[in-house]
Amino acid sequence: MDAERKQVVIVGGGFGGLEAAKALDGVDAAVTLIDRANYHLFQPLLYQVAMAGLSPADIASPIRGILADEPNVRVVLGDVTRVDLESRRIFVGDEPVAYDWLVLAVGAQTSYFGHDAWEAHAPGLKHIEDALEIRRRVLLAFERAEREPDAHARRKLLTFIVIGGGPTGVELAGAIAELGHYVLGRDFRSIDPREAKVVLIEAGPRILPSFSTSLGQSAVEQLQELGAEVRTGLRVVDIDAAGVDLESASSADGEASKRERIDSATVVWAAGVKANGLAQKLGVPTDKQGRVIVEDDCSLPGTPEVFAIGDMARFEEKGNVLPGVSPVAMQQARYVGKIIRWEVESVGRPPREPFSYFDKGSMATIGRSRAIAEARGVKMRGFIAWLAWLFIHIWYLIGFRNRVAVLLTWAWSYLSYKRGARLITSTGWKPESKP
Amino acid sequence: MDAERKQVVIVGGGFGGLEAAKALDGVDAAVTLIDRANYHLFQPLLYQVAMAGLSPADIASPIRGILADEPNVRVVLGDVTRVDLESRRIFVGDEPVAYDWLVLAVGAQTSYFGHDAWEAHAPGLKHIEDALEIRRRVLLAFERAEREPDAHARRKLLTFIVIGGGPTGVELAGAIAELGHYVLGRDFRSIDPREAKVVLIEAGPRILPSFSTSLGQSAVEQLQELGAEVRTGLRVVDIDAAGVDLESASSADGEASKRERIDSATVVWAAGVKANGLAQKLGVPTDKQGRVIVEDDCSLPGTPEVFAIGDMARFEEKGNVLPGVSPVAMQQARYVGKIIRWEVESVGRPPREPFSYFDKGSMATIGRSRAIAEARGVKMRGFIAWLAWLFIHIWYLIGFRNRVAVLLTWAWSYLSYKRGARLITSTGWKPESKP
């Protein structure tokens, strides 16, 4: 490395880290971006890989390729094990890397709220390997049902449970229902995949609580049109290889809670995330989800040269904690990039304006041609919301080839009701291997 | 299953098995196709998955989807563990399946000629998991080289050895050379991927011995243009994690053979195949490569209702053993399908004409826009051979969506020198897990 130049280190190649690297294009400093994976993952479409609609390469782009035109940015594939705020060094494996500014953007991971044993039976959806594992389990369940003579066992194989009624859970439930009802329809001889039962479980009183009530209700109706069941007010008590134990949330009038069991061979977890483990190792205060509590300039308390952005950070603005969505990470990245550029080019450290989030709205899709969307008071549902969703997601997909490939793949599956990526492959997925 | 109807069982969803199922479309019998995978793999393009040019879904199609329009064909995902020729039953796991006619088309697997320990250091290229593992190793070698300060270690990381000078070996060597020289060119900061050294090792006196001498020489020159080295007359003595030990084949004039060592972090094995293990379990004579020696009607000796076709069978025609290529398997499948159809519809067993192979020619590709092809005396080389190769391979790719997707993906990488599928993911690959 160039000892003369200032060093900026970015950890994480997600929406935040990548946007920070781009914001530092051409700055007179050596920028190093470090990630454990060699690709940027477009997470909003990961459920499509899980549901065999897309291939991993459609939604993932090599980070080196994305940053090839920025000669001041160096990309390192490696695992950041430790940050030494005192000596201003991070460690990639055992190798120290010095920084003048550090941008941490390591994101979040699936959280089982202390029940780590559930992971083996109910994978979450954070990595490509997760998506391929969920794909494998869902497709394999149909295959096993086709060969299963016993009616009860077949029923269990054709019951799919999605836990968590946020956008990811809704997208997964809709997509599994669609897979059974439309895609696999004619492919089997002994079973009718349309008999597949999809149950979406939410502990709270309603799904999609971040949307307005009427849109949440519309999502329920759209899920029901696809044949999925929505169950709210049910808390997960246990998950094993054969199903899920549930308990009704105790009602206000002191009614005793009821236990319930749903047999299912395939359970998917979309109920919670926590910050990546690196956040815990910084020695600064974190919240219940393990997120670093940052200042109003996204920096760590008392450490103005170190920033934490995106899902790993807890940023409070006017009493609201910003949600863990990609626009927050990207806006914070551009803000932080601007600060660093300013400080590289200045003498001393000029005063910083606080970060402010501009909320463009949010959306969730429910299978083919169904969705809800809400932006600054405007509500959309059904086909028009789905078109908006499609347009925005294709637009933000990184890499020209990916956009074209994804659009064509979707056009093909939309018109033909076929899915090319319905491959059952071994995935290298191991619960304990997860970060 | 329908007890009244005659039962035809096909084992294997490769070129042979699938073509046999199609040849039996509408026949008055229940046809069951059994495969361990839920997809048909277009193996001629598997090296493109290994080299990050294509995604698995581009070259693999769900078998159920391909056969959805044939209501008399039932697809079973399962592992055939045993064949009982006496009682006319096969076993899927422990479950017996009775047949009146049986078509075995289980193909071949990588052979290390008794050196199974080499597999861990030099994966072969037969399954999707193999291809993703080779992709992972090749891309990871460049990543590690980028971070490696020691010149010798960097040299080792940037040396790639392909063992076996048949079409697969030539395709892999050409593609790795191309990856280093063109695709990754601008992506790294510390290393120049153009320094990558690719060595193709062949034990025999020349590569591509199934082609004429002049085309083999042309292939050598085309490989050299891409920067790959071709070394013939070198036998592999040992493979470990750090490289390969070689011995020059002893010369005719009794000269002592010389030992040589090439350090390399990435070795790929394309030197040999043997029949799938099921061939050994039939209790009928096999050849040195474990292939079932079949009669001139592709049936097992003394068992006219059981056929073995494709790579698992040794078929001799006029003193020549037919090669292990897909046209042989497909022509045998259509021939066997015709016999079975005839016998289902006849009373008794009419006499059979012997199978005869029509050789349409063969081709091998060497990176982008280079190839050789030979068909009935006509020889092609360079760009025109590559166009012919492209046209034929796209033509035979199963599934409209795959053809369009592959063509567009290639057009994109051809024009942009970019490869979208350059993802390093864990692959679930384990040497001992292989069949």
Side-chain angles (χ1 to χ4, degrees), chain A residues 38 64 69 74 129 143 186 189-190 401 412 422 424 426, chain B residues 38 64 69 73-74 129 143 186 190 401 412 422 424 426:
Chain A
N38 79 323
R64 292 193 183 286
D69 293 329
R74 180 182 142 91
E129 286 82 0
E143 293 290 340
R186 299 176 317 131
R189 301 289 175 258
S190 306
R401 186 245 156 198
W412 168 241
R422 258 154 53 211
I424 303 175
S426 20
Chain B
N38 79 324
R64 293 194 183 284
D69 292 329
V73 181
R74 181 183 142 89
E129 286 83 0
E143 293 290 339
R186 298 177 318 132
S190 306
R401 185 249 157 194
W412 169 241
R422 257 154 55 210
I424 302 176
S426 21

PDB file of all heavy atoms in Angstrom, chain A residues 38 64 69 74 129 143 186 189-190 401 412 422 424 426, chain B residues 38 64 69 73-74 129 143 186 190 401 412 422 424 426:
ATOM      1  N   ASN A  38     -17.002 -12.669  -2.744  1.00  0.00           N
ATOM      2  CA  ASN A  38     -16.419 -11.915  -3.857  1.00  0.00           C
ATOM      3  C   ASN A  38     -17.495 -11.218  -4.676  1.00  0.00           C
ATOM      4  O   ASN A  38     -17.222 -10.662  -5.711  1.00  0.00           O
ATOM      5  CB  ASN A  38     -15.559 -12.829  -4.750  1.00  0.00           C
ATOM      6  CG  ASN A  38     -16.379 -13.675  -5.705  1.00  0.00           C
ATOM      7  OD1 ASN A  38     -17.454 -14.142  -5.349  1.00  0.00           O
ATOM      8  ND2 ASN A  38     -15.884 -13.869  -6.906  1.00  0.00           N
ATOM      9  N   ARG A  64     -15.330  -6.992  -7.698  1.00  0.00           N
ATOM     10  CA  ARG A  64     -14.228  -6.487  -8.525  1.00  0.00           C
ATOM     11  C   ARG A  64     -14.713  -5.914  -9.847  1.00  0.00           C
ATOM     12  O   ARG A  64     -14.185  -4.928 -10.344  1.00  0.00           O
ATOM     13  CB  ARG A  64     -13.254  -7.615  -8.862  1.00  0.00           C
ATOM     14  CG  ARG A  64     -12.506  -8.127  -7.701  1.00  0.00           C
ATOM     15  CD  ARG A  64     -11.342  -9.013  -8.131  1.00  0.00           C
ATOM     16  NE  ARG A  64     -10.720  -9.507  -6.914  1.00  0.00           N
ATOM     17  CZ  ARG A  64      -9.967  -8.769  -6.119  1.00  0.00           C
ATOM     18  NH1 ARG A  64      -9.705  -7.532  -6.447  1.00  0.00           N
ATOM     19  NH2 ARG A  64      -9.469  -9.265  -5.011  1.00  0.00           N
ATOM     20  N   ASP A  69     -13.542   0.089 -12.612  1.00  0.00           N
ATOM     21  CA  ASP A  69     -13.195   1.393 -13.188  1.00  0.00           C
ATOM     22  C   ASP A  69     -12.756   2.412 -12.151  1.00  0.00           C
ATOM     23  O   ASP A  69     -12.605   3.585 -12.466  1.00  0.00           O
ATOM     24  CB  ASP A  69     -14.395   1.956 -13.962  1.00  0.00           C
ATOM     25  CG  ASP A  69     -14.686   1.113 -15.187  1.00  0.00           C
ATOM     26  OD1 ASP A  69     -13.720   0.556 -15.739  1.00  0.00           O
ATOM     27  OD2 ASP A  69     -15.859   1.017 -15.574  1.00  0.00           O
ATOM     28  N   ARG A  74      -9.259  -0.731  -4.005  1.00  0.00           N
ATOM     29  CA  ARG A  74      -8.696  -2.067  -4.026  1.00  0.00           C
ATOM     30  C   ARG A  74      -9.700  -2.970  -3.324  1.00  0.00           C
ATOM     31  O   ARG A  74     -10.272  -2.603  -2.293  1.00  0.00           O
ATOM     32  CB  ARG A  74      -7.394  -1.984  -3.243  1.00  0.00           C
ATOM     33  CG  ARG A  74      -6.588  -3.218  -3.104  1.00  0.00           C
ATOM     34  CD  ARG A  74      -5.363  -2.855  -2.222  1.00  0.00           C
ATOM     35  NE  ARG A  74      -5.095  -3.976  -1.353  1.00  0.00           N
ATOM     36  CZ  ARG A  74      -4.263  -4.970  -1.678  1.00  0.00           C
ATOM     37  NH1 ARG A  74      -3.613  -4.933  -2.811  1.00  0.00           N
ATOM     38  NH2 ARG A  74      -4.071  -5.970  -0.851  1.00  0.00           N
ATOM     39  N   GLU A 129     -26.283 -19.373  -0.252  1.00  0.00           N
ATOM     40  CA  GLU A 129     -26.362 -20.758   0.179  1.00  0.00           C
ATOM     41  C   GLU A 129     -27.704 -21.036   0.878  1.00  0.00           C
ATOM     42  O   GLU A 129     -28.280 -22.114   0.720  1.00  0.00           O
ATOM     43  CB  GLU A 129     -25.203 -21.113   1.122  1.00  0.00           C
ATOM     44  CG  GLU A 129     -23.854 -21.255   0.413  1.00  0.00           C
ATOM     45  CD  GLU A 129     -23.151 -19.917   0.168  1.00  0.00           C
ATOM     46  OE1 GLU A 129     -23.715 -18.863   0.546  1.00  0.00           O
ATOM     47  OE2 GLU A 129     -22.047 -19.921  -0.417  1.00  0.00           O
ATOM     48  N   GLU A 143     -41.020 -33.728  -4.394  1.00  0.00           N
ATOM     49  CA  GLU A 143     -40.522 -35.003  -4.933  1.00  0.00           C
ATOM     50  C   GLU A 143     -40.824 -36.156  -3.982  1.00  0.00           C
ATOM     51  O   GLU A 143     -41.235 -37.236  -4.403  1.00  0.00           O
ATOM     52  CB  GLU A 143     -39.009 -34.924  -5.171  1.00  0.00           C
ATOM     53  CG  GLU A 143     -38.576 -33.969  -6.263  1.00  0.00           C
ATOM     54  CD  GLU A 143     -38.954 -34.462  -7.658  1.00  0.00           C
ATOM     55  OE1 GLU A 143     -39.204 -35.669  -7.833  1.00  0.00           O
ATOM     56  OE2 GLU A 143     -39.017 -33.622  -8.580  1.00  0.00           O
ATOM     57  N   ARG A 186     -48.501 -29.417 -13.733  1.00  0.00           N
ATOM     58  CA  ARG A 186     -48.637 -30.587 -14.595  1.00  0.00           C
ATOM     59  C   ARG A 186     -47.493 -31.580 -14.448  1.00  0.00           C
ATOM     60  O   ARG A 186     -47.431 -32.566 -15.171  1.00  0.00           O
ATOM     61  CB  ARG A 186     -48.697 -30.128 -16.054  1.00  0.00           C
ATOM     62  CG  ARG A 186     -49.870 -29.208 -16.378  1.00  0.00           C
ATOM     63  CD  ARG A 186     -49.777 -28.747 -17.827  1.00  0.00           C
ATOM     64  NE  ARG A 186     -48.399 -28.402 -18.145  1.00  0.00           N
ATOM     65  CZ  ARG A 186     -47.753 -28.830 -19.213  1.00  0.00           C
ATOM     66  NH1 ARG A 186     -48.332 -29.622 -20.075  1.00  0.00           N
ATOM     67  NH2 ARG A 186     -46.499 -28.453 -19.434  1.00  0.00           N
ATOM     68  N   ARG A 189     -47.427 -36.971 -11.170  1.00  0.00           N
ATOM     69  CA  ARG A 189     -48.439 -37.950 -11.564  1.00  0.00           C
ATOM     70  C   ARG A 189     -49.252 -38.427 -10.362  1.00  0.00           C
ATOM     71  O   ARG A 189     -50.442 -38.663 -10.466  1.00  0.00           O
ATOM     72  CB  ARG A 189     -47.778 -39.153 -12.253  1.00  0.00           C
ATOM     73  CG  ARG A 189     -46.981 -38.786 -13.513  1.00  0.00           C
ATOM     74  CD  ARG A 189     -47.862 -38.376 -14.692  1.00  0.00           C
ATOM     75  NE  ARG A 189     -47.049 -37.931 -15.842  1.00  0.00           N
ATOM     76  CZ  ARG A 189     -46.865 -36.658 -16.162  1.00  0.00           C
ATOM     77  NH1 ARG A 189     -47.413 -35.695 -15.458  1.00  0.00           N
ATOM     78  NH2 ARG A 189     -46.123 -36.348 -17.215  1.00  0.00           N
ATOM     79  N   SER A 190     -48.609 -38.599  -9.184  1.00  0.00           N
ATOM     80  CA  SER A 190     -49.313 -39.135  -8.011  1.00  0.00           C
ATOM     81  C   SER A 190     -49.936 -38.038  -7.161  1.00  0.00           C
ATOM     82  O   SER A 190     -50.991 -38.223  -6.582  1.00  0.00           O
ATOM     83  CB  SER A 190     -48.354 -39.948  -7.142  1.00  0.00           C
ATOM     84  OG  SER A 190     -47.724 -40.944  -7.901  1.00  0.00           O
ATOM     85  N   ARG A 401     -25.996  -6.573 -17.622  1.00  0.00           N
ATOM     86  CA  ARG A 401     -26.312  -7.944 -17.994  1.00  0.00           C
ATOM     87  C   ARG A 401     -27.344  -8.553 -17.045  1.00  0.00           C
ATOM     88  O   ARG A 401     -28.277  -9.207 -17.458  1.00  0.00           O
ATOM     89  CB  ARG A 401     -25.029  -8.772 -17.976  1.00  0.00           C
ATOM     90  CG  ARG A 401     -25.203 -10.174 -18.492  1.00  0.00           C
ATOM     91  CD  ARG A 401     -24.967 -11.178 -17.390  1.00  0.00           C
ATOM     92  NE  ARG A 401     -25.645 -12.409 -17.687  1.00  0.00           N
ATOM     93  CZ  ARG A 401     -25.900 -13.327 -16.791  1.00  0.00           C
ATOM     94  NH1 ARG A 401     -25.530 -13.174 -15.552  1.00  0.00           N
ATOM     95  NH2 ARG A 401     -26.537 -14.418 -17.121  1.00  0.00           N
ATOM     96  N   TRP A 412     -40.066 -14.848 -19.460  1.00  0.00           N
ATOM     97  CA  TRP A 412     -40.241 -16.247 -19.859  1.00  0.00           C
ATOM     98  C   TRP A 412     -41.083 -17.010 -18.832  1.00  0.00           C
ATOM     99  O   TRP A 412     -42.040 -17.701 -19.181  1.00  0.00           O
ATOM    100  CB  TRP A 412     -38.870 -16.883 -20.055  1.00  0.00           C
ATOM    101  CG  TRP A 412     -38.884 -18.371 -20.195  1.00  0.00           C
ATOM    102  CD1 TRP A 412     -38.271 -19.270 -19.376  1.00  0.00           C
ATOM    103  CD2 TRP A 412     -39.527 -19.142 -21.221  1.00  0.00           C
ATOM    104  NE1 TRP A 412     -38.491 -20.531 -19.825  1.00  0.00           N
ATOM    105  CE2 TRP A 412     -39.259 -20.500 -20.955  1.00  0.00           C
ATOM    106  CE3 TRP A 412     -40.311 -18.817 -22.322  1.00  0.00           C
ATOM    107  CZ2 TRP A 412     -39.741 -21.530 -21.753  1.00  0.00           C
ATOM    108  CZ3 TRP A 412     -40.795 -19.849 -23.115  1.00  0.00           C
ATOM    109  CH2 TRP A 412     -40.505 -21.183 -22.828  1.00  0.00           C
ATOM    110  N   ARG A 422     -35.254 -24.741 -11.468  1.00  0.00           N
ATOM    111  CA  ARG A 422     -35.800 -25.691 -10.493  1.00  0.00           C
ATOM    112  C   ARG A 422     -34.838 -26.851 -10.264  1.00  0.00           C
ATOM    113  O   ARG A 422     -35.194 -28.017 -10.432  1.00  0.00           O
ATOM    114  CB  ARG A 422     -37.119 -26.236 -11.030  1.00  0.00           C
ATOM    115  CG  ARG A 422     -38.330 -25.605 -10.409  1.00  0.00           C
ATOM    116  CD  ARG A 422     -39.504 -25.683 -11.329  1.00  0.00           C
ATOM    117  NE  ARG A 422     -39.766 -27.014 -11.800  1.00  0.00           N
ATOM    118  CZ  ARG A 422     -40.292 -27.281 -12.986  1.00  0.00           C
ATOM    119  NH1 ARG A 422     -40.591 -26.318 -13.813  1.00  0.00           N
ATOM    120  NH2 ARG A 422     -40.520 -28.511 -13.350  1.00  0.00           N
ATOM    121  N   ILE A 424     -32.388 -29.211  -7.949  1.00  0.00           N
ATOM    122  CA  ILE A 424     -32.058 -29.638  -6.600  1.00  0.00           C
ATOM    123  C   ILE A 424     -30.576 -29.996  -6.590  1.00  0.00           C
ATOM    124  O   ILE A 424     -30.181 -31.007  -7.141  1.00  0.00           O
ATOM    125  CB  ILE A 424     -32.909 -30.851  -6.182  1.00  0.00           C
ATOM    126  CG1 ILE A 424     -34.401 -30.521  -6.294  1.00  0.00           C
ATOM    127  CG2 ILE A 424     -32.546 -31.298  -4.775  1.00  0.00           C
ATOM    128  CD1 ILE A 424     -35.316 -31.696  -6.005  1.00  0.00           C
ATOM    129  N   SER A 426     -26.757 -30.046  -4.172  1.00  0.00           N
ATOM    130  CA  SER A 426     -26.278 -29.880  -2.800  1.00  0.00           C
ATOM    131  C   SER A 426     -25.700 -28.489  -2.683  1.00  0.00           C
ATOM    132  O   SER A 426     -25.175 -27.933  -3.636  1.00  0.00           O
ATOM    133  CB  SER A 426     -25.274 -30.938  -2.365  1.00  0.00           C
ATOM    134  OG  SER A 426     -24.687 -31.568  -3.439  1.00  0.00           O
TER     135      SER A 426
ATOM    136  N   ASN B  38     -32.936 -34.169 -10.089  1.00  0.00           N
ATOM    137  CA  ASN B  38     -34.249 -33.806 -10.643  1.00  0.00           C
ATOM    138  C   ASN B  38     -34.098 -33.071 -11.978  1.00  0.00           C
ATOM    139  O   ASN B  38     -35.070 -32.583 -12.514  1.00  0.00           O
ATOM    140  CB  ASN B  38     -35.052 -32.962  -9.642  1.00  0.00           C
ATOM    141  CG  ASN B  38     -34.632 -31.507  -9.607  1.00  0.00           C
ATOM    142  OD1 ASN B  38     -33.452 -31.208  -9.756  1.00  0.00           O
ATOM    143  ND2 ASN B  38     -35.587 -30.614  -9.427  1.00  0.00           N
ATOM    144  N   ARG B  64     -38.899 -33.331 -14.922  1.00  0.00           N
ATOM    145  CA  ARG B  64     -40.368 -33.278 -14.919  1.00  0.00           C
ATOM    146  C   ARG B  64     -40.904 -32.289 -15.937  1.00  0.00           C
ATOM    147  O   ARG B  64     -41.934 -32.523 -16.561  1.00  0.00           O
ATOM    148  CB  ARG B  64     -40.893 -32.837 -13.552  1.00  0.00           C
ATOM    149  CG  ARG B  64     -40.655 -33.810 -12.472  1.00  0.00           C
ATOM    150  CD  ARG B  64     -41.487 -33.495 -11.228  1.00  0.00           C
ATOM    151  NE  ARG B  64     -41.113 -34.467 -10.219  1.00  0.00           N
ATOM    152  CZ  ARG B  64     -41.518 -35.717 -10.233  1.00  0.00           C
ATOM    153  NH1 ARG B  64     -42.349 -36.135 -11.151  1.00  0.00           N
ATOM    154  NH2 ARG B  64     -41.113 -36.565  -9.314  1.00  0.00           N
ATOM    155  N   ASP B  69     -45.410 -33.182 -20.822  1.00  0.00           N
ATOM    156  CA  ASP B  69     -46.450 -33.437 -21.826  1.00  0.00           C
ATOM    157  C   ASP B  69     -46.579 -34.907 -22.194  1.00  0.00           C
ATOM    158  O   ASP B  69     -47.286 -35.239 -23.151  1.00  0.00           O
ATOM    159  CB  ASP B  69     -46.139 -32.636 -23.099  1.00  0.00           C
ATOM    160  CG  ASP B  69     -46.286 -31.149 -22.856  1.00  0.00           C
ATOM    161  OD1 ASP B  69     -47.129 -30.781 -22.010  1.00  0.00           O
ATOM    162  OD2 ASP B  69     -45.553 -30.369 -23.481  1.00  0.00           O
ATOM    163  N   VAL B  73     -45.483 -41.121 -18.951  1.00  0.00           N
ATOM    164  CA  VAL B  73     -44.169 -41.173 -18.312  1.00  0.00           C
ATOM    165  C   VAL B  73     -44.244 -40.591 -16.908  1.00  0.00           C
ATOM    166  O   VAL B  73     -44.720 -39.475 -16.722  1.00  0.00           O
ATOM    167  CB  VAL B  73     -43.109 -40.408 -19.137  1.00  0.00           C
ATOM    168  CG1 VAL B  73     -41.745 -40.506 -18.454  1.00  0.00           C
ATOM    169  CG2 VAL B  73     -43.028 -40.948 -20.553  1.00  0.00           C
ATOM    170  N   ARG B  74     -43.765 -41.354 -15.964  1.00  0.00           N
ATOM    171  CA  ARG B  74     -43.723 -40.936 -14.583  1.00  0.00           C
ATOM    172  C   ARG B  74     -42.257 -40.747 -14.219  1.00  0.00           C
ATOM    173  O   ARG B  74     -41.403 -41.557 -14.594  1.00  0.00           O
ATOM    174  CB  ARG B  74     -44.336 -42.082 -13.772  1.00  0.00           C
ATOM    175  CG  ARG B  74     -44.440 -41.910 -12.317  1.00  0.00           C
ATOM    176  CD  ARG B  74     -45.012 -43.233 -11.748  1.00  0.00           C
ATOM    177  NE  ARG B  74     -44.374 -43.521 -10.498  1.00  0.00           N
ATOM    178  CZ  ARG B  74     -44.832 -43.080  -9.319  1.00  0.00           C
ATOM    179  NH1 ARG B  74     -45.947 -42.391  -9.260  1.00  0.00           N
ATOM    180  NH2 ARG B  74     -44.187 -43.334  -8.216  1.00  0.00           N
ATOM    181  N   GLU B 129     -22.090 -29.825  -9.070  1.00  0.00           N
ATOM    182  CA  GLU B 129     -21.286 -29.525  -7.876  1.00  0.00           C
ATOM    183  C   GLU B 129     -19.797 -29.485  -8.219  1.00  0.00           C
ATOM    184  O   GLU B 129     -19.056 -28.659  -7.686  1.00  0.00           O
ATOM    185  CB  GLU B 129     -21.558 -30.556  -6.771  1.00  0.00           C
ATOM    186  CG  GLU B 129     -22.904 -30.391  -6.075  1.00  0.00           C
ATOM    187  CD  GLU B 129     -24.064 -31.034  -6.842  1.00  0.00           C
ATOM    188  OE1 GLU B 129     -23.833 -31.613  -7.929  1.00  0.00           O
ATOM    189  OE2 GLU B 129     -25.203 -30.957  -6.350  1.00  0.00           O
ATOM    190  N   GLU B 143      -7.907 -14.622  -6.197  1.00  0.00           N
ATOM    191  CA  GLU B 143      -8.116 -13.787  -5.007  1.00  0.00           C
ATOM    192  C   GLU B 143      -6.952 -13.915  -4.030  1.00  0.00           C
ATOM    193  O   GLU B 143      -6.481 -12.927  -3.465  1.00  0.00           O
ATOM    194  CB  GLU B 143      -9.418 -14.181  -4.301  1.00  0.00           C
ATOM    195  CG  GLU B 143     -10.692 -13.878  -5.088  1.00  0.00           C
ATOM    196  CD  GLU B 143     -10.970 -12.384  -5.194  1.00  0.00           C
ATOM    197  OE1 GLU B 143     -10.450 -11.611  -4.377  1.00  0.00           O
ATOM    198  OE2 GLU B 143     -11.714 -11.998  -6.113  1.00  0.00           O
ATOM    199  N   ARG B 186      -8.721  -6.299 -15.787  1.00  0.00           N
ATOM    200  CA  ARG B 186      -8.660  -5.014 -15.110  1.00  0.00           C
ATOM    201  C   ARG B 186      -9.081  -5.079 -13.650  1.00  0.00           C
ATOM    202  O   ARG B 186      -9.156  -4.054 -12.978  1.00  0.00           O
ATOM    203  CB  ARG B 186      -9.569  -4.017 -15.833  1.00  0.00           C
ATOM    204  CG  ARG B 186      -9.177  -3.727 -17.286  1.00  0.00           C
ATOM    205  CD  ARG B 186     -10.184  -2.782 -17.909  1.00  0.00           C
ATOM    206  NE  ARG B 186     -11.546  -3.185 -17.500  1.00  0.00           N
ATOM    207  CZ  ARG B 186     -12.454  -2.351 -17.042  1.00  0.00           C
ATOM    208  NH1 ARG B 186     -12.194  -1.081 -16.918  1.00  0.00           N
ATOM    209  NH2 ARG B 186     -13.652  -2.806 -16.711  1.00  0.00           N
ATOM    210  N   SER B 190      -2.921  -5.773  -7.385  1.00  0.00           N
ATOM    211  CA  SER B 190      -1.561  -6.226  -7.059  1.00  0.00           C
ATOM    212  C   SER B 190      -1.025  -7.198  -8.095  1.00  0.00           C
ATOM    213  O   SER B 190       0.169  -7.216  -8.369  1.00  0.00           O
ATOM    214  CB  SER B 190      -1.538  -6.913  -5.689  1.00  0.00           C
ATOM    215  OG  SER B 190      -2.079  -6.082  -4.711  1.00  0.00           O
ATOM    216  N   ARG B 401     -36.151 -21.615 -23.212  1.00  0.00           N
ATOM    217  CA  ARG B 401     -35.634 -20.571 -22.347  1.00  0.00           C
ATOM    218  C   ARG B 401     -34.122 -20.706 -22.191  1.00  0.00           C
ATOM    219  O   ARG B 401     -33.394 -19.727 -22.237  1.00  0.00           O
ATOM    220  CB  ARG B 401     -36.311 -20.668 -20.971  1.00  0.00           C
ATOM    221  CG  ARG B 401     -35.942 -19.555 -20.022  1.00  0.00           C
ATOM    222  CD  ARG B 401     -35.118 -20.055 -18.886  1.00  0.00           C
ATOM    223  NE  ARG B 401     -34.333 -19.002 -18.292  1.00  0.00           N
ATOM    224  CZ  ARG B 401     -33.347 -19.231 -17.464  1.00  0.00           C
ATOM    225  NH1 ARG B 401     -33.044 -20.442 -17.112  1.00  0.00           N
ATOM    226  NH2 ARG B 401     -32.651 -18.237 -16.975  1.00  0.00           N
ATOM    227  N   TRP B 412     -23.424 -11.313 -24.419  1.00  0.00           N
ATOM    228  CA  TRP B 412     -23.012 -10.302 -23.444  1.00  0.00           C
ATOM    229  C   TRP B 412     -21.560 -10.477 -23.030  1.00  0.00           C
ATOM    230  O   TRP B 412     -20.767  -9.530 -23.065  1.00  0.00           O
ATOM    231  CB  TRP B 412     -23.952 -10.345 -22.243  1.00  0.00           C
ATOM    232  CG  TRP B 412     -23.486  -9.530 -21.070  1.00  0.00           C
ATOM    233  CD1 TRP B 412     -23.196  -9.987 -19.830  1.00  0.00           C
ATOM    234  CD2 TRP B 412     -23.268  -8.109 -21.018  1.00  0.00           C
ATOM    235  NE1 TRP B 412     -22.806  -8.957 -19.017  1.00  0.00           N
ATOM    236  CE2 TRP B 412     -22.845  -7.795 -19.719  1.00  0.00           C
ATOM    237  CE3 TRP B 412     -23.388  -7.081 -21.959  1.00  0.00           C
ATOM    238  CZ2 TRP B 412     -22.535  -6.510 -19.317  1.00  0.00           C
ATOM    239  CZ3 TRP B 412     -23.069  -5.786 -21.546  1.00  0.00           C
ATOM    240  CH2 TRP B 412     -22.660  -5.511 -20.249  1.00  0.00           C
ATOM    241  N   ARG B 422     -19.311 -15.036 -11.988  1.00  0.00           N
ATOM    242  CA  ARG B 422     -18.038 -15.190 -11.286  1.00  0.00           C
ATOM    243  C   ARG B 422     -18.234 -15.186  -9.786  1.00  0.00           C
ATOM    244  O   ARG B 422     -17.648 -14.383  -9.059  1.00  0.00           O
ATOM    245  CB  ARG B 422     -17.129 -14.028 -11.676  1.00  0.00           C
ATOM    246  CG  ARG B 422     -16.062 -14.391 -12.680  1.00  0.00           C
ATOM    247  CD  ARG B 422     -15.646 -13.195 -13.458  1.00  0.00           C
ATOM    248  NE  ARG B 422     -15.227 -12.110 -12.602  1.00  0.00           N
ATOM    249  CZ  ARG B 422     -15.358 -10.836 -12.935  1.00  0.00           C
ATOM    250  NH1 ARG B 422     -15.933 -10.491 -14.053  1.00  0.00           N
ATOM    251  NH2 ARG B 422     -14.934  -9.902 -12.117  1.00  0.00           N
ATOM    252  N   ILE B 424     -18.018 -16.883  -6.026  1.00  0.00           N
ATOM    253  CA  ILE B 424     -17.388 -17.903  -5.203  1.00  0.00           C
ATOM    254  C   ILE B 424     -18.391 -18.282  -4.116  1.00  0.00           C
ATOM    255  O   ILE B 424     -18.633 -17.510  -3.196  1.00  0.00           O
ATOM    256  CB  ILE B 424     -16.087 -17.385  -4.573  1.00  0.00           C
ATOM    257  CG1 ILE B 424     -15.126 -16.918  -5.676  1.00  0.00           C
ATOM    258  CG2 ILE B 424     -15.443 -18.458  -3.711  1.00  0.00           C
ATOM    259  CD1 ILE B 424     -13.844 -16.299  -5.152  1.00  0.00           C
ATOM    260  N   SER B 426     -20.002 -21.598  -1.500  1.00  0.00           N
ATOM    261  CA  SER B 426     -19.684 -22.960  -1.099  1.00  0.00           C
ATOM    262  C   SER B 426     -20.561 -23.901  -1.894  1.00  0.00           C
ATOM    263  O   SER B 426     -21.678 -23.568  -2.283  1.00  0.00           O
ATOM    264  CB  SER B 426     -19.836 -23.192   0.397  1.00  0.00           C
ATOM    265  OG  SER B 426     -20.650 -22.279   0.998  1.00  0.00           O
TER     266      SER B 426
END
